[in-house]
Amino acid sequence: MLMAIDCGNTNTVFSIWDGTRFIATWRTATDHRRTADQYWVWIKQLMTLNQIDADVTEVIISSTVPRVVFNLRVLCNRYFDCRPLVVGKPECRLPNQPRVDAGTLVGPDRLVNTAGAYDRHGGDLIVVDFGTATTFDVVDSDGAYIGGVISPGVNLSMEALHMAAAALPHVDVTKPEHVIGRNTVACMQSGIFWAYVGVVKEICARIRAERGRSMLVIGTGGLAPLFATGEDLFDRLEDDLTMHGLRIINDYNKDTPRE
């Protein structure tokens, strides 16, 4: 079986693919101090609780936190007896090579989103991912990542308001009942929610205009469903796009012979 690991700045997600579907998905806080043994105890307990008797023989990793990868490699070597495929490393080939400025290192999360989105929806896409940062990945007609946009994440903006302004509380991100807030919390929630609705609409419109073509907008990430309630921001919502992309890349590396 395949274990797909998506390590983001805030959370790390582990999913097990049995050959036809993902049978389990677990999430933990990202912490570079967590050892391979700690990962294994946590995973083994969850597998036991969920009555999963999975023989993991393959692992693929996407990580935006390089310091975490070492202990994940040790986990794979020690407990799964395999060498993981790490997206972004030379040995991990991509179905379509990105076309960006020479010397640019593209985040592995963006490469994975591109592969997953192209497999499901074809080319000419804008993938909007609500993570620690809100990213816009532009996918060309042939499935290549050709650039995008990075803006501060929604929760990051909320936290910045709380940290920088002593009088402003920490509030949850939600869709407010009214645009005009009648108390501090409602004002902050409206400012964040409708501001990001505007960000998505404006950036996607400008990408389409710059490309001069119709482009499908794919929403993904934890807050994508919430923002989809504000306007018709997305043509499709994907809750497992990253894991699907990891599986696609893993299959490509198995099925395509090396030159």
Side-chain angles (χ1 to χ4, degrees):
M1 292 189 183
L2 169 70
M3 176 171 283
I5 304 175
D6 173 33
C7 177
N9 290 292
T10 304
N11 293 313
T12 300
V13 181
F14 295 74
S15 288
I16 297 179
W17 174 261
D18 70 353
T20 58
R21 64 188 180 93
F22 284 106
I23 60 174
T25 297
W26 303 303
R27 184 181 302 266
T28 186
T30 299
D31 185 351
H32 70 273
R33 298 169 298 178
R34 188 172 287 118
T35 67
D37 299 328
Q38 289 174 313
Y39 278 122
W40 171 244
V41 169
W42 177 75
I43 291 170
K44 187 63 175 176
Q45 286 181 329
L46 286 171
M47 291 173 67
T48 300
L49 287 171
N50 289 273
Q51 298 181 329
I52 295 174
D53 184 19
D55 182 18
V56 175
T57 57
E58 304 171 84
V59 179
I60 183 169
I61 300 169
S62 168
S63 178
T64 58
V65 186
R67 296 175 69 186
V68 173
V69 175
F70 173 78
N71 283 323
L72 291 175
R73 284 185 181 273
V74 175
L75 168 72
C76 298
N77 179 66
R78 182 176 298 168
Y79 293 105
F80 301 135
D81 192 27
C82 71
R83 180 179 179 181
L85 195 62
V86 181
V87 178
K89 298 299 182 182
E91 64 271 17
C92 180
R93 293 166 298 154
L94 301 171
N96 298 283
Q97 289 299 315
R99 291 193 290 271
V100 294
D101 291 344
T104 299
L105 294 177
V106 181
D109 54 332
R110 312 187 81 172
L111 298 173
V112 170
N113 282 347
T114 295
Y118 180 69
D119 180 72
R120 283 182 170 170
H121 305 288
D124 289 326
L125 308 174
I126 304 169
V127 181
V128 186
D129 189 353
F130 289 86
T132 304
T134 301
T135 59
F136 298 74
D137 304 325
V138 181
V139 184
D140 208 347
S141 56
D142 64 351
Y145 170 86
I146 57 171
V149 177
I150 301 175
S151 62
V154 178
N155 286 308
L156 193 62
S157 294
M158 276 290 204
E159 191 65 26
L161 273 176
H162 172 60
M163 296 289 290
L168 296 181
H170 186 279
V171 300
D172 293 328
V173 182
T174 188
K175 181 183 178 182
E177 292 185 13
H178 307 284
V179 175
I180 301 173
R182 300 186 184 277
N183 56 67
T184 301
V185 170
C187 288
M188 293 174 67
Q189 289 174 333
S190 181
I192 289 292
F193 182 85
W194 293 111
Y196 274 87
V197 167
V199 165
V200 173
K201 291 177 69 175
E202 182 68 14
I203 289 179
C204 288
R206 288 182 177 273
I207 290 173
R208 285 186 174 119
E210 190 169 293
R211 297 283 292 158
R213 65 187 69 180
S214 176
M215 303 185 74
L216 208 65
V217 179
I218 312 300
T220 191
L223 290 175
L226 170 65
F227 282 92
T229 65
E231 296 281 335
D232 292 328
L233 293 183
F234 312 119
D235 298 298
R236 303 285 191 277
L237 276 175
E238 297 278 6
D239 62 355
D240 65 343
L241 186 63
T242 300
M243 290 303 166
H244 180 67
L246 283 169
R247 184 180 68 79
I248 292 300
I249 293 174
N250 187 74
D251 287 350
Y252 179 78
N253 279 265
K254 287 197 304 180
D255 297 340
T256 306
R258 295 185 178 275
E259 297 179 354

